[in-house]
Amino acid sequence: MTGVSPSAAPRALAAMRPEEARGLSGLVFDLDDTLLDHGELTEAAYASLFRLREAGLRLVACTGRPAGWAEVLVRQWPLDAAIAENGAVAFIKERRPFGAPRLRLVFPADLAAAGARRAELRALAEELCRRFPTVSLADDNNARFTDVTLDIGEHCRAPAEDVAAMRAEASRRGVHTLASSVHLHLSLDPADKATGTLRLLEAAFGEDPTRARLTHAFMGDSGNDAAAFAAFTTTIGVANVRAYLPMLPVPPKYVTQAAMGRGFAELATTLVDLRVPPG
């Protein structure tokens, strides 16, 4: 665990106390390599969402994936909201007296303007693909509202030095970058999962941001989740987060024994069991 001090090293999930689990009102979680196994949803992970909802927890997916994905997730999964594009876009599910729930786009406020600005990012992304043959445009860009992404680990594997060089070039041009386990994100405005989540919880549910940090847990798996690991009090990494601990200024408080979707299911079982009232 180079770079992680012993005092800050994550604890096993079994160390979580019942009072901490019972004090939670929601769970915010990443998708890729946290809930999903290399992009695929397992039966155990999906069933865990229903168990967590039945246990009274608000469920918010927070991902670097596109806005188009978030809209589908909120529409079809047992979620209260979904945040996409690393905090830049959010949808909430509004219950109705009858019929299916209605979806509401919470932000960005000016969707047309956000889309128009992507042209600059697309041109840069295409230039980087020409300069660095190890990368390609990610195959989910057609569903994005605010950013453009390069595939650095989903269908191809870009060397770390190429990723670093691309980030340096983007920064030189005033473009923000964020690297996940699968994508390099290019954006014109700074966004992160912590800011996006806290903004959503306040705008959509009236949650005080300071209190929300205490009452909502966050679960993730990589350096792309660094802001959220630092922002929330109860944080959990699936076992595969260990490969990213050296790059996390604040590591997760707990780490599961299992990786990816099995780790998510492990957290669900732990929270549900710990939240049962004593006696």
Side-chain angles (χ1 to χ4, degrees):
M1 277 190 208
T2 304
V4 179
S5 67
S7 61
R11 288 178 271 173
L13 184 58
M16 183 181 287
R17 307 305 304 161
E19 54 269 24
E20 184 173 12
R22 293 181 193 132
L24 297 173
S25 59
L27 173 66
V28 182
F29 58 91
D30 176 52
L31 289 182
D32 285 294
D33 296 337
T34 298
L35 178 75
L36 306 178
D37 285 34
H38 303 297
E40 295 188 354
L41 179 63
T42 64
E43 181 179 359
Y46 189 50
S48 294
L49 294 174
F50 290 90
R51 295 188 65 206
L52 290 164
R53 184 182 67 174
E54 290 164 2
L57 288 166
R58 174 183 290 143
L59 296 178
V60 178
C62 186
T63 177
R65 288 293 187 174
W69 287 33
E71 182 177 358
V72 173
L73 294 182
V74 178
R75 208 175 280 281
Q76 297 186 345
W77 288 15
L79 303 180
D80 296 282
I83 305 164
E85 301 177 20
N86 295 305
V89 182
F91 290 90
I92 67 167
K93 183 180 294 180
E94 295 184 327
R95 304 291 179 181
R96 303 168 67 190
F98 61 92
R102 185 187 301 276
L103 260 63
R104 178 161 63 95
L105 176 65
V106 183
F107 45 82
D110 191 339
L111 186 57
R117 299 181 72 201
R118 290 187 73 239
E120 177 183 339
L121 297 173
R122 178 79 183 211
L124 173 59
E126 291 174 349
E127 178 185 331
L128 292 174
C129 287
R130 291 191 295 269
R131 290 178 55 185
F132 298 91
T134 58
V135 304
S136 62
L137 284 170
D139 62 7
D140 63 8
N141 274 294
N142 62 327
R144 292 185 175 276
F145 290 2
T146 65
D147 65 356
V148 173
T149 53
L150 295 165
D151 185 348
I152 61 172
E154 186 167 38
H155 303 298
C156 58
R157 182 65 60 185
E161 56 269 24
D162 284 4
V163 176
M166 289 188 292
R167 298 187 76 173
E169 177 61 20
S171 178
R172 188 181 69 79
R173 301 192 193 190
V175 172
H176 299 275
T177 64
L178 191 62
S180 73
S181 56
V182 292
H183 291 154
L184 177 63
H185 299 259
L186 307 176
S187 62
L188 292 173
D189 299 302
D192 64 68
K193 292 179 178 179
T195 302
T197 299
L198 294 171
R199 180 164 56 140
L200 170 76
L201 293 174
E202 181 176 29
F205 304 111
E207 293 275 1
D208 174 75
T210 300
R211 177 170 170 76
R213 295 171 187 266
L214 302 173
T215 59
H216 288 70
F218 176 81
M219 188 174 204
D221 75 285
S222 74
N224 191 25
D225 303 315
F229 281 141
F232 292 88
T233 300
T234 299
T235 56
I236 310 97
V238 283
N240 41 299
V241 78
R242 294 189 183 280
Y244 297 90
L245 290 179
M247 67 182 68
L248 291 172
V250 180
K253 186 175 182 180
Y254 304 105
V255 174
T256 63
Q257 289 186 316
M260 302 189 193
R262 290 181 295 113
F264 188 91
E266 180 185 334
L267 172 69
T269 297
T270 299
L271 287 181
V272 170
D273 289 348
L274 289 176
R275 287 168 67 85
V276 175

